[in-house]
Every structure is written in structure tokens, then in C-alpha cells.
Amino acid sequence: MSWLWAIIVGLVLGLLAKAIIPGKQQIPLWLTVVFGILGSIVGNSVAAGIGVDETKGIDWIRHLLQLIGAIVIVGVGDMLWASMKGKRRRTT
């Protein structure tokens, strides 16, 4: 069941990241979910590194770090996706 939870969290974080980043992102929904999951993993790692991964109640700082991770990964991933799609169109 944890894989289903990871997909749901990835979808939510990816969509939030796409909503926060200005402009239109060209990545498909499946890649948004993957980038959201990766952002969650990065955020959890940073939270563990600074010692705020386990707190009483809601882990607001950890969730914020997960969102920041998703924003960065979605932003960079969208740029890479757009450049790959642009190169692919030029070669055909």
C-alpha cells in the first residue's frame, strides 16, 4: 500500500509544483507524478539531514521541504523535457 501512497503524494506535490512555477509546463502527467515522488524523496532526505523529519504533530517543515524539492525537480525536469522534445522535432 505504500507504493499507492507514494503515487498519490507524488501527484499532489507535482501538481502543486506545476501550479507554483510560472508559465506552462510541457511535461505529461505521468512525469509530473514521477517528479513529485522524487521531490518528496529529496525533501525527506533534507529534513532528515537537518533533523526535522520526525516531530510531534504535523511535520510542516518536512512537507515544505518536499514541496520545494518537487518545485526544483519539476522546473529542471520541464526544461530538460522541453529541450529533448525540441531536439526530437528538429531531427525529423
Side-chain angles (χ1 to χ4, degrees):
M1 195 65 159
S2 63
W3 59 271
L4 181 61
W5 186 245
I7 292 171
I8 292 169
V9 169
L11 175 64
V12 170
L13 284 174
L15 291 175
L16 283 172
K18 284 178 80 168
I20 292 171
I21 297 171
K24 183 174 180 349
Q25 290 75 41
Q26 301 175 12
I27 57 175
L29 183 62
W30 67 268
L31 203 51
T32 302
V33 173
V34 170
F35 289 161
I37 292 170
L38 291 174
S40 174
I41 293 168
V42 168
N44 283 339
S45 298
V46 172
I50 62 174
V52 294
D53 57 332
E54 303 255 349
T55 60
K56 293 181 181 178
I58 299 175
D59 297 331
W60 292 110
I61 296 172
R62 182 173 55 99
H63 295 315
L64 181 63
L65 291 170
Q66 288 174 335
L67 181 59
I68 291 169
I71 290 169
V72 169
I73 292 175
V74 166
V76 171
D78 182 59
M79 288 188 291
L80 292 172
W81 179 264
S83 70
M84 286 174 43
K85 289 300 234 179
K87 287 181 184 175
R88 193 175 300 148
R89 285 190 193 130
R90 282 186 238 136
T91 60
T92 52

